Amino acid sequence: MRELVISLIGVPLDLGQSRRGVDMGPSAIRYAGAVDRLQALGHHIKDEGNVSVSPIHDLSCNEAGLKNLTEVTEATEELAAKISAIVKDKKFPLVLGGDHSIAIGTLAGLSEHYKNLGVIWYDAHADMNTSETSPSGNIHGMPLAVSMGLGHERLVNVHSEGAKINPKNVVIIGARSVDPGERQLIKEKGVKVFTMHEIDRYGMSAVIQQTLEYFASRKVDGVHLSLDLDGLDPLYTPGVGTPVPGGITYRESHLAMELLEDANVITSAEFVEVNPILDKYNKTADVAVGLMGSLFGEKLL
């Protein structure tokens, strides 16, 4: 098992969507023992604290029908700068969300150092809406599209101008709720997707193996894991804002993390959408920390 210096960053942002509470996700994950769990595995942890998020009381739509555009942009700009500094310092960035809009900042910061980054989007949703296709105006449904250079210019140009990732370097795992506009974009951009159909049919082991082979064929220079806790079935992670039944199991998710660790390919990660208000006894945060354990080398024997 590799020994890492991990920089932990919390992003208490719940403005990329309409349900309050996910801003407490970083605290819930820390409370569930993330630091102790990773230190016990021999990693060196530096908790960088939280990105600052401007408070807002008016939840009405802003520019181009996007909710809280200014606040989300400011928070992701700060996160991108922190991520870039961490990578420059040769540390492993581990981001705690917060809603999934924070990935705009994470990928923007990483793009400064990786020119052909692979991205695993472990999620029930594709998060590839734009202001034109979004049924809600929630930015947490847009970060993957934004990172591909599609969407509002303020979001697309966070940290640097234009696209941060190549759509053909993205693998979505666990999709089961995809909007019509997203479906069209997936086909147009050539994004690789493993829906629950493929996971059920072939098994998680085969899905991860195919993902690794795909990244090898693309000659990626790093792999970022963006894990939304709603990728799992809500039976295991009730504390998420947009639960979708029929998801990935707890055990399948641990297997996925263990296989990724065995392959030694993950260069950064984020765990998002833990909402303590909707949770039961911090169960979802506990699952997040357990998956971190598997991703960073925890074994039964």
Side-chain angles (χ1 to χ4, degrees):
M1 185 188 76
R2 52 182 176 161
E3 185 178 300
L4 299 171
V5 179
I6 300 172
S7 280
L8 199 70
I9 308 176
V11 190
L13 180 70
D14 68 352
L15 301 177
Q17 42 86 65
S18 301
R19 301 187 77 170
R20 305 278 68 82
V22 74
D23 59 320
M24 295 185 285
S27 294
I29 295 171
R30 287 184 174 104
Y31 181 77
V35 172
D36 290 344
R37 190 79 164 254
L38 298 179
Q39 283 180 334
L41 294 171
H43 301 299
H44 302 278
I45 314 299
K46 182 179 181 183
D47 194 333
E48 309 276 358
N50 288 345
V51 166
S52 57
V53 177
S54 300
I56 188 169
H57 303 291
D58 179 10
L59 300 180
S60 61
C61 288
N62 296 331
E63 189 178 344
L66 303 183
K67 296 173 183 173
N68 312 315
L69 176 61
T70 296
E71 292 77 12
V72 172
T73 302
E74 289 174 350
T76 52
E77 284 276 12
E78 182 181 337
L79 175 60
K82 288 181 178 292
I83 292 291
S84 180
I86 289 168
V87 177
K88 184 178 181 180
D89 204 24
K90 302 189 182 308
K91 296 175 182 175
F92 186 106
L94 177 58
V95 185
L96 312 179
D99 69 58
H100 217 159
S101 67
I102 71 173
I104 295 169
T106 305
L107 290 171
L110 293 171
S111 70
E112 190 174 345
H113 304 275
Y114 296 94
K115 302 309 176 187
N116 198 38
L117 183 68
V119 178
I120 296 175
W121 203 261
Y122 200 93
D123 200 327
H125 309 88
D127 292 342
M128 285 181 62
N129 272 305
T130 64
S131 54
E132 289 75 30
T133 65
S134 174
S136 65
N138 291 332
I139 298 175
H140 80 155
M142 305 178 185
L144 201 45
V146 166
S147 300
M148 295 174 186
L150 306 168
H152 195 283
E153 62 178 6
R154 290 185 62 188
L155 297 172
V156 169
N157 294 330
V158 163
H159 197 63
S160 63
E161 290 188 4
K164 309 304 190 295
I165 57 174
N166 183 335
K168 292 184 179 179
N169 286 355
V170 175
V171 178
I172 299 173
I173 297 177
R176 55 194 185 277
S177 177
V178 181
D179 294 324
E182 295 177 305
R183 195 174 297 119
Q184 182 67 25
L185 267 181
I186 286 169
K187 293 176 181 178
E188 285 180 7
K189 298 298 180 181
V191 176
K192 191 170 185 63
V193 182
F194 292 102
T195 68
M196 289 308 303
H197 171 85
E198 282 79 34
I199 294 173
D200 290 341
R201 186 173 182 179
Y202 304 114
M204 183 58 80
S205 180
V207 165
I208 296 298
Q209 184 59 39
Q210 289 180 45
T211 298
L212 295 171
E213 290 171 357
Y214 181 72
F215 284 147
S217 72
R218 297 289 305 164
K219 295 181 170 56
V220 300
D221 55 358
V223 177
H224 174 65
L225 171 66
S226 190
L227 191 149
D228 188 324
L229 271 299
D230 73 23
L232 282 77
D233 193 278
L235 174 67
Y236 310 101
T237 54
V240 296
T242 49
V244 184
I248 304 170
T249 69
Y250 177 81
R251 187 56 240 161
E252 286 172 328
S253 296
H254 274 284
L255 175 61
M257 299 303 106
E258 290 163 357
L259 293 172
L260 291 173
E261 162 59 18
D262 288 345
N264 194 26
V265 296
I266 301 299
T267 51
S268 54
E270 61 196 344
F271 288 74
V272 305
E273 297 284 358
V274 173
N275 189 330
I277 289 178
L278 304 174
D279 210 0
K280 299 175 181 177
Y281 308 107
N282 216 31
K283 181 177 182 179
T284 304
D286 285 336
V287 169
V289 171
L291 293 178
M292 287 177 198
S294 291
L295 180 65
F296 289 100
E298 194 171 78
K299 305 287 186 185
L300 182 60
L301 296 173

